Amino acid sequence: MRKQKEIKKALAQLGWSNTTLADLVHEEKYNGEIEATREELKKQSEAIKKHLQRKTTSEDLLEFYLRVIHQHPDYQNLGLDTVLPSYVDHECLGLELSMKLKDLSNDIDELIASG
């Protein structure tokens, strides 16, 4: 739910609707080569709305939405200096320690989101 909140917050800061994000998502998927129809944008906008409400939405999909938003010049012009966090597995950490660190990171993310 943290990423959904972050996406909603970014959309609000930019004054964007789900339709604006849908248009950018379509552009990113098709490298701007295929123009989206009004109906396609409406469907994608509704899908985004649902993705931002459901706990079962894929982390990869939410990460894609965040990447599209953060790479846009309008977002970069806000000067928020947001960095997308990413986990990099390393062989020096054992599986048990790696899992504990991941849980700790999730707990911290939840505290930040609720605070």
Side-chain angles (χ1 to χ4, degrees):
M1 295 301 286
R2 179 187 62 79
K3 286 184 182 176
Q4 281 117 329
K5 287 180 183 177
E6 188 176 339
I7 292 167
K8 289 176 186 178
K9 181 179 176 184
L11 292 176
Q13 288 171 320
L14 290 161
W16 289 358
S17 65
N18 290 338
T19 304
T20 304
L21 180 56
D23 188 35
L24 293 170
V25 164
H26 182 85
E27 188 176 309
E28 181 71 20
K29 282 183 180 178
Y30 298 103
N31 295 320
E33 295 176 7
I34 300 173
E35 191 75 25
T37 66
R38 193 173 295 157
E39 186 61 34
E40 288 171 330
L41 286 180
K42 184 176 178 181
K43 281 183 180 180
Q44 182 66 43
S45 176
E46 289 298 317
I48 289 171
K49 181 178 177 180
K50 291 176 184 175
H51 294 153
L52 296 180
Q53 294 171 346
R54 294 185 177 145
K55 291 181 180 183
T56 58
T57 302
S58 146
E59 288 289 314
D60 290 340
L61 181 60
L62 296 173
E63 195 69 35
F64 173 69
Y65 290 159
L66 281 170
R67 190 169 10 99
V68 168
I69 293 168
H70 289 181
Q71 289 176 347
H72 195 278
D74 290 353
Y75 184 84
Q76 293 175 0
N77 288 338
L78 290 177
L80 300 176
D81 296 327
T82 302
V83 176
L84 287 175
S86 63
Y87 174 74
V88 179
D89 195 15
H90 195 277
E91 61 193 39
C92 73
L93 297 177
L95 180 61
E96 185 177 343
L97 178 58
S98 182
M99 294 302 290
K100 286 182 180 181
L101 288 172
K102 187 175 179 180
D103 290 341
L104 177 62
S105 179
N106 287 336
D107 290 345
I108 291 170
D109 288 344
E110 288 176 18
L111 283 172
I112 291 171
S114 68

